[in-house]
Structure formats: C-alpha cells, structure tokens
Amino acid sequence: MTGIIARTRNAFRAFTRAFSGYDVTGGSGRWPTQYMLPSPITQQLAAGRLASRKIAHQAENNALVSSIILHGVNAIVGDGPTVRAMHPDPETNARLQRVWNEFFQDCSVEGGMSLGGYLSRVARGFYVDGESFTQLVADPATMRLKLRLLTADQVDHSKTIPSLGLTGDMPMIVAGVEFDGTGRRVAFWVLPTPPDAPWASVEPPARISALDICHVFEPRFPGAPRGMSPLTAVAPLALELDNCIDAAVVKLRTTCLVGMVVRDPEGNFPFDPTTDPASLYLEPGATLRLPPGADVSFPPTSEMNTVAEVLSHIERLVCAGAGVPAFMATGDFGAINFSAGKLGLATFQRRIKALQQNHIVAQLLNPIWDRLVLLEVLSGRMRAPDYESHPERYGASFLFPGWPAIDELKKAKADTLAVAAKLRSRQEIISEGGRDPADVDAEIENDPFAADDMSASAGGIASQNEMENENA
C-alpha cells in the first residue's frame, strides 16, 4: 500500500512539473491566471453585446476606428456586385439578369436604397457588431423580394432555452438562435422592433424560420451561435490612442505657457503695484527693464520628440489587428514606398476577398438569389420547366468591383505576358477586374473601332523598357 501511494505521489509530481515547464500554463507566475478563455463560447455570448456597444461608440468618435470601418466597408462592397447567371439558355439568362437589375435598384423594404447601399450597411454591422441579420420578405402585393435589415439587438440575445439534451421536450435556443437535434439552425427569435428605437414595441420575440433570415457572421469557435466584432482585440488600444492624444494635446498646451522667474539677490527691485508678482504678466514681444543685479530664468519644458513615434506605433498595432493597412487608415502615404504599399494591399485584398466569398456571398447573396428565382417561378412571371429537375442551372456567380492597379502599365504588361504564355485566361483577368467577360466581348463587338486590332502589337508593348520606380 505504501508503494502505491509513493508511486502515485511521484506521478503527480511529474505531472505537475510537466505543466510548470511552460509559461503559458501559468506554472512560472509570469502568466496571469485570468489570461485565458476557459469557456470561449459562453464568454463570447456574455461579452458580445457590451463589446459591440463600446465599439459603436468608437466608430462614431475615434477617427482611426472610423477610418478602418470606412475603408473595410468600401473595400468589401464598393458600388455593389454584378451577377452572372449560369443557365445554359440565353433567354432565361437575360430574364434573370433583368430581374436582378430591378431588384438591385430597390431592394429594401424601406424603399429608395440600392443593393450596394444595403450591403454597405451589412458590412458596417459586421465590423461593429460582428454580425448582421437580413430578413427575406415577399411583398404580398407584387410577390417581389424585399430585404429588411435587423439590428443585432433585435435578435433576442436573452432568449435561451437549453432544453434539448436535458428534457428533450423542446428545441434548444441559444441567444435567440434555435437549433434542432442535429445542431442545424432552424429559426431565429426576433423582436418586432429594435429595442433602442423610439417607442419600441414591448411584444415578445417572434419565431422566424431560418429560411427567411440570413445571418452574416464569422464564428470564432465551433458551435458559436452569434458573432463577435473583429475590432474587439484592438478596441482597448484604440481607447489608449485617444488617451495618448488627449495627454499630448494637454502637454503641448502646457508647454506653450511660457513663465519666468525674476530673481533679485541684492534686493534692489522696488516693490510697488507695477512689480507685484500677482499682477505681473509677460506679453508677446514685451521688453522688461530690470534693476542692476536682477536676472530672469525660465522653467524647463519637457520634450515631445518621442510622442509621434509612440502614437504611430499604436496606430500601426490597431490597423494590424483590424486587418487594414496603416497607410490607408491613417492617410500617411509618405512613409511607404511602392513595394511596401503593394505588399500591404495584397494582404488586405486577400482578406477582403475572403470576407466577400465566405460571408457576403455564401451567407447572404446566394440565399437572396435563390429566393429571387423562386418568387419569379412561383408567381408565373418566368417559365422554368427544368427548375425542379435541374435547380443547379439556376445558380449564379457574383463579381465584386475590381481593385485599381497601382501601376496600370506594369499590370497591363503582366496580364499580356500571362495570357501569351497561357498561364492565365482572358476570362480570369476580366473577372478579376469585376467585369463579366461576356459583357466585355459584347462591348468589343459593338465597338466601331474594333476593326483596328491592336492585339498584334501587344507583345511589342509588353517588351518595351520602362523607367522603374526609384523606390521600388
């Protein structure tokens, strides 16, 4: 028995030493015990709404956070995506294109808003709240699709019923999101009006099918039902940036207060109302006449040489955490060269493309397109005999506005050489610019100057020498 206890004690000591050898486990004392997420989903749900409210305040009052959101929204949406229907029948494609164009011009239930403007609101909600909810509404009078943007607070965050798995008699509802037994989202519990709206309704939340709600969010952890703002990690730094700027301004104002000390060791300085220290002040350009033996000294003022470096460092950290190049968010283009700017834009573009395809397209635009086609078929406005047998023919791809090249000539030469070497296709290059290759070909065919074919000289243009950027 004693041997078993001794072996158990030794094994426990070895287990403890194994963990204490890593600072991240807290064995050395350097790592704070509260520096961990033991329950990430629960902690995210508890902190999500408060974090979004603070970030919303920063979005309206912090210049850097406002610039980050502005550049992120503009990069994701631009002036709105174009659609390319995939049906093999040209007439059906043309019909679907007309339906999309009509919907694009006026898509919101409020009216007077294009899809580009609506998506900008969705992208802004993604940055501030970490999520955005869109309800698909069919106008009963016209049987046409309209979109209703829901606030993050409108999906009742307090609606949580963890019955599934405990009693099994009710579905599981977490933070207003209802799941079935397989973990699939089946419904959302939505308040009739935003809680912060004037004269908000006091009615309880209503259950709306998940087929009618598009939830745009980026789940941080597996099983997370709600989103978290991507600016959560940089919000404390943004607050410190405001504090540093306020302190620097106060310090600068204090430095501008010039004071002096008049000393009279021999006591020859007369004391009268004109020389009373309580009434003396130094005007700009004033000349003081002092008696013999008196002198003047000025208190030392603190230097501010390192303040700009500290502020720039905090700005770069905030922009790096938000995924936006610092030179874009701060507007400081003088601190970078051509190569650094191109590398920063490439990383930013990769992030934006991921958000476009993984969230805007997959979670919002694809359901909108499917509902548009369904309403056209059910209302009888479009004849689609193969809709049930081949629904994949009624799919679509979305093209977002392309990115302007930093150097148009270099980009044109690179594309020309890639097409000539058969490394890329014209369709890929045109789609990369946000255009439909079919539209480009149609425009070229209708161009009266299309007979002047310049493709033969493209190789000569690509081989021309040019003066490289001296900062490249």
Side-chain angles (χ1 to χ4, degrees):
M1 185 65 179
T2 304
I4 296 177
I5 295 177
R7 288 195 299 270
T8 303
R9 183 172 59 251
N10 293 336
F12 180 76
R13 289 176 179 175
F15 180 78
T16 304
R17 286 195 299 269
F19 272 96
S20 62
Y22 294 90
D23 288 345
V24 72
T25 61
S28 66
R30 296 173 57 187
W31 194 275
T33 56
Q34 69 273 15
Y35 231 62
M36 60 179 178
L37 291 176
S39 303
I41 297 179
T42 303
Q43 290 175 276
Q44 174 184 322
L45 292 175
R49 303 311 313 136
L50 179 59
S52 68
R53 292 184 178 95
K54 292 185 176 182
I55 293 173
H57 180 273
Q58 288 186 329
E60 301 296 335
N61 296 275
N62 185 289
L64 184 60
V65 174
S66 177
S67 178
I68 288 173
I69 295 176
L70 177 64
H71 283 86
V73 170
N74 289 341
I76 293 175
V77 180
D79 57 357
T82 59
V83 69
R84 183 167 58 188
M86 302 171 59
H87 200 279
D89 182 21
E91 294 184 2
T92 303
N93 268 355
R95 171 62 184 173
L96 293 175
Q97 185 67 51
R98 289 193 299 269
V99 171
W100 173 263
N101 292 339
E102 294 176 2
F103 170 77
F104 190 97
Q105 296 302 321
D106 188 9
C107 67
S108 176
V109 293
E110 294 91 347
M113 178 173 293
S114 68
L115 183 61
Y118 184 89
L119 291 180
S120 296
R121 299 166 65 189
V122 171
R124 182 176 178 84
F126 177 84
Y127 272 101
V128 175
D129 298 317
E131 57 188 353
S132 178
F133 296 89
T134 296
Q135 183 179 0
L136 306 180
V137 180
D139 189 345
T142 61
M143 282 296 291
R144 296 188 183 277
L145 179 64
K146 295 295 180 180
L147 306 180
R148 175 181 288 119
L149 184 64
L150 306 176
T151 65
D153 290 328
Q154 203 165 347
V155 177
D156 192 359
H157 197 273
S158 63
K159 185 72 173 181
T160 299
I161 303 177
S163 295
L164 192 64
L166 298 178
T167 61
D169 56 346
M170 296 181 66
M172 183 174 184
I173 304 174
V174 180
V177 184
E178 181 178 329
F179 300 88
D180 62 7
T182 63
R184 184 179 182 87
R185 296 164 179 255
V186 294
F188 293 86
W189 290 81
V190 182
L191 296 171
T193 57
D196 58 337
W199 304 102
S201 173
V202 295
E203 296 182 6
R207 184 182 185 275
I208 300 179
S209 172
L211 298 176
D212 296 327
I213 298 290
C214 298
H215 187 194
V216 178
F217 79 117
E218 186 175 20
R220 299 287 188 90
F221 309 100
R226 302 292 293 265
M228 191 79 170
S229 172
L231 302 179
T232 302
V234 301
L237 274 177
L239 179 61
E240 291 299 329
L241 178 63
D242 278 342
N243 294 335
C244 290
I245 293 177
D246 294 340
V249 171
V250 172
K251 184 177 181 181
L252 182 61
R253 291 176 177 175
T254 305
T255 304
C256 295
L257 299 176
V258 179
M260 65 177 182
V261 178
V262 181
R263 294 180 296 181
D264 182 20
E266 299 180 2
N268 297 326
F269 198 72
F271 186 78
D272 54 36
T274 61
T275 59
D276 186 4
S279 60
L280 283 178
Y281 60 91
L282 182 62
E283 295 181 354
T287 301
L288 299 180
R289 185 176 179 180
L290 303 177
D295 64 349
V296 176
S297 63
F298 294 90
T301 58
S302 57
E303 297 292 337
M304 299 185 63
N305 297 333
T306 60
V307 173
E309 297 180 3
V310 174
L311 294 180
S312 298
H313 180 67
I314 297 177
E315 289 174 347
R316 290 193 296 269
L317 287 177
V318 173
C319 294
V324 177
F327 62 86
M328 291 181 60
T330 61
D332 185 10
F333 294 92
I336 62 168
N337 54 27
F338 178 83
S339 300
K342 186 175 181 180
L343 180 61
L345 280 179
T347 305
F348 179 58
Q349 291 171 7
R350 185 179 294 273
R351 168 63 176 168
I352 292 301
K353 289 181 180 179
L355 292 177
Q356 290 172 342
Q357 298 300 323
N358 299 338
H359 303 294
I360 301 298
V361 173
Q363 297 175 337
L364 181 60
L365 292 181
N366 283 339
I368 289 177
W369 174 264
D370 294 340
R371 186 61 58 89
L372 271 175
V373 176
L374 178 62
L375 289 177
E376 290 298 310
V377 174
L378 294 180
S379 63
R381 291 188 293 264
M382 184 178 70
R383 185 175 179 274
D386 58 343
Y387 180 74
E388 294 188 34
S389 58
H390 298 283
E392 70 279 358
R393 296 180 179 177
Y394 291 86
S397 60
F398 299 90
L399 301 176
F400 286 85
W403 297 85
I406 300 178
D407 191 318
E408 294 285 352
L409 182 58
K410 289 182 179 179
K411 181 67 166 57
K413 287 183 177 182
D415 291 341
T416 302
L417 292 175
V419 172
K422 297 183 179 181
L423 299 177
R424 302 182 68 184
S425 64
R426 286 183 64 254
Q427 182 174 356
E428 179 186 359
I429 294 175
I430 294 173
S431 300
E432 190 179 71
R435 298 291 307 279
D436 189 342
D439 294 340
V440 174
D441 292 336
E443 292 174 3
I444 294 175
E445 184 179 353
N446 297 329
D447 190 351
F449 299 99
D452 300 333
D453 191 3
M454 299 183 63
S455 60
S457 60
I461 295 175
S463 62
Q464 289 180 358
N465 294 326
E466 64 176 275
M467 182 180 297
E468 297 291 338
N469 192 318
E470 60 182 0
N471 292 327

